[in-house]
Amino acid sequence: MGLVQAVKGAVGGVLADQWKDFYTVPTGLPSTAALFAAVPNGTNAGRGSNTSGSSNIISNGSKIIVPEGYGLLLFQDGAITAFVAEAGGYEWRSDDLNSQSIFAGDGLVSTFIKQSWERFKFGGQPGSQQAAFFVSLKELPDNRFGTQSEIYWDDGFLNTQVGAVTRGSYTLKIVDPILFVKNFVPASYLRPGQVFDFTDMDNAAATQLFNEVVGSLAPAFSLYTNDPAKGNRITKLQQDSIGFAHSLSVAVEQAYHWQSDRGLAIVKTAIVSIEYDANTRELLKTVQRADALSGSRGNSNLQASVAQGIQSAGENGGAAGLVGVGMASGMFGAGNLQQPAAPAADDPVAKLKKAKEMLDLGLITQDDYDALKAKALGL
């Protein structure tokens, strides 16, 4: 018979009133906790059918509440006999000695879980007592990574090798709890009171994951910057946490098989800092200047530079300086730049404008201006 589902979905006060004694997730857990033993809530005091319950041991008739975001694993002699990924209330019955049960639900983990269940399900006869552990199905935050020295990768946009020191963090998700427990979690954590936490510095398994992520950073940067969909720009990386997380997850999977062997996947990343080496910084400055001088903005900048050069040459070198600037302009294509057209000599509007300026400056009289105006207009 195994686990019997008493209520599906969120469990409220009615169920808690009916079940005076049940097992559930312990209180006060850190947000980074991944695996821990179920704890009893309340005392039996003659209620319910479980009259021989003890810590971490789920005996016949035990009631279990599985909250949202958690999965439940039952063990017998180190082997998995039941798995639940659907929130709700359950009761353990072992009337059938060959009882096994699985409630994988329809979420992200269901496909992975069902495959692993068929591979690893318990083949013997489970006894009347089962050890119960909860596994987090949420994103587990604050997994840090960082490099003490430069890492190098081939950058598709810069078309050369790039080096940098970087640090950041990522969120981790257990997509297959069965694989995770069977292939990765040390046996010392499958005991009451133990909490498997990926951020625990004393957790040797978590330290191994840290080292593998650091070892995958260079391939991940290379995957990201050589992906045409990303525009091959490393500068986009700090604004694209999902995109880089995918590149990092692929690199980790290729090198260490996190998902296929351990049931783990990287979901999101946050790059806190990237400090490029000296050569890369100089190269990026050159690229920035090239970007600023491209297109219509570049044409405007170049025209302004040539105009400034002409003015300086005129002030310092006279006609010879102007000739030199003209030659340089032709060498760099400035001869094709559009210059203001000089007014035609017989343009009456230009003549009148010039005469008016002379009148305003007091160089000619009103009579002189009137005569020039009549002449320009052919009167």
Side-chain angles (χ1 to χ4, degrees):
M1 184 181 296
L3 285 170
V4 178
Q5 192 173 58
V7 59
K8 186 175 181 178
V11 290
V14 175
L15 182 61
D17 291 338
Q18 293 175 346
W19 288 3
K20 300 298 183 182
D21 312 294
F22 55 86
Y23 287 80
T24 189
V25 173
T27 58
L29 283 172
S31 59
T32 51
L35 181 75
F36 39 85
V39 296
N41 189 308
T43 57
N44 187 275
R47 294 185 293 269
S49 57
N50 181 6
T51 58
S52 58
S54 59
S55 178
N56 186 237
I57 299 299
I58 309 301
S59 56
N60 193 28
S62 292
K63 311 295 194 299
I64 308 172
I65 290 179
V66 181
E68 292 283 358
Y70 293 94
L72 172 70
L73 286 165
L74 297 188
F75 294 80
Q76 171 67 28
D77 298 330
I80 297 173
T81 60
F83 174 76
V84 173
E86 298 178 17
Y90 296 84
E91 183 174 352
W92 169 251
R93 291 288 182 182
S94 60
D95 299 331
D96 178 2
L97 293 181
N98 293 307
S99 60
Q100 298 170 16
S101 49
I102 177 172
F103 297 87
D106 299 320
L108 174 65
V109 301
S110 62
T111 302
F112 300 112
I113 292 301
K114 290 173 182 175
Q115 292 175 353
S116 296
W117 177 256
E118 292 302 318
R119 289 172 56 193
F120 299 121
K121 63 184 179 182
F122 187 58
Q125 293 184 346
S128 60
Q129 291 183 330
Q130 306 286 315
F133 288 84
F134 284 102
V135 60
S136 177
L137 303 179
K138 304 176 181 181
E139 285 187 46
L140 299 171
D142 203 30
N143 300 281
R144 307 294 179 87
F145 64 80
T147 59
Q148 295 181 344
S149 58
E150 287 88 356
I151 57 173
Y152 292 89
W153 68 91
D154 293 328
D155 191 290
F157 176 75
L158 298 177
N159 197 30
T160 188
Q161 193 175 69
V162 171
V165 175
T166 183
R167 62 187 180 92
S169 64
Y170 62 92
T171 62
L172 193 62
K173 190 174 181 66
I174 302 171
V175 296
D176 190 333
I178 294 177
L179 276 179
F180 172 65
V181 170
K182 291 190 70 69
N183 292 349
F184 189 70
V185 176
S188 59
Y189 286 96
L190 298 177
R191 297 183 303 182
Q194 295 295 313
V195 177
F196 186 98
D197 190 332
F198 288 109
T199 65
D200 184 1
M201 298 303 295
D202 295 326
N203 185 341
T207 301
Q208 177 64 27
L209 293 182
F210 170 85
N211 294 332
E212 291 176 359
V213 168
V214 172
S216 301
L217 284 174
F221 283 130
S222 182
L223 285 171
Y224 186 89
T225 57
N226 288 281
D227 183 358
K230 302 295 185 299
N232 292 333
R233 292 293 185 112
I234 193 65
T235 51
K236 292 184 178 179
L237 187 147
Q238 289 177 279
Q239 291 80 38
D240 188 13
S241 62
I242 302 297
F244 181 69
H246 175 72
S247 297
L248 183 58
S249 183
V250 170
V252 167
E253 180 65 18
Q254 289 176 347
Y256 302 105
H257 310 291
W258 274 24
Q259 184 164 299
S260 56
D261 287 352
R262 300 169 178 172
L264 299 173
I266 293 173
V267 183
K268 296 183 182 71
T269 58
I271 305 296
V272 177
S273 69
I274 299 179
E275 300 175 8
Y276 298 105
D277 64 6
N279 292 336
T280 302
R281 289 196 298 269
E282 288 300 318
L283 187 58
L284 287 173
K285 289 180 182 178
T286 302
V287 171
Q288 289 173 343
R289 286 194 292 266
D291 286 345
L293 294 175
S294 64
S296 59
R297 177 181 296 177
N299 190 49
S300 300
N301 289 340
L302 188 55
Q303 288 190 45
S305 298
V306 171
Q308 180 63 38
I310 291 173
Q311 180 180 353
S312 300
E315 293 173 352
N316 299 325
L322 291 174
V323 171
V325 172
M327 292 177 63
S329 305
M331 290 176 61
F332 292 102
N336 296 324
L337 300 178
Q338 295 180 355
Q339 301 293 340
D346 57 349
D347 184 356
V349 175
K351 291 181 178 180
L352 287 176
K353 182 178 179 182
K354 187 65 174 177
K356 184 64 168 64
E357 291 176 352
M358 296 173 67
L359 176 63
D360 293 338
L361 293 172
L363 299 176
I364 61 175
T365 64
Q366 182 65 44
D367 293 336
D368 294 332
Y369 174 77
D370 293 337
L372 290 172
K373 178 179 179 182
K375 183 177 179 181
L377 299 177
L379 300 177

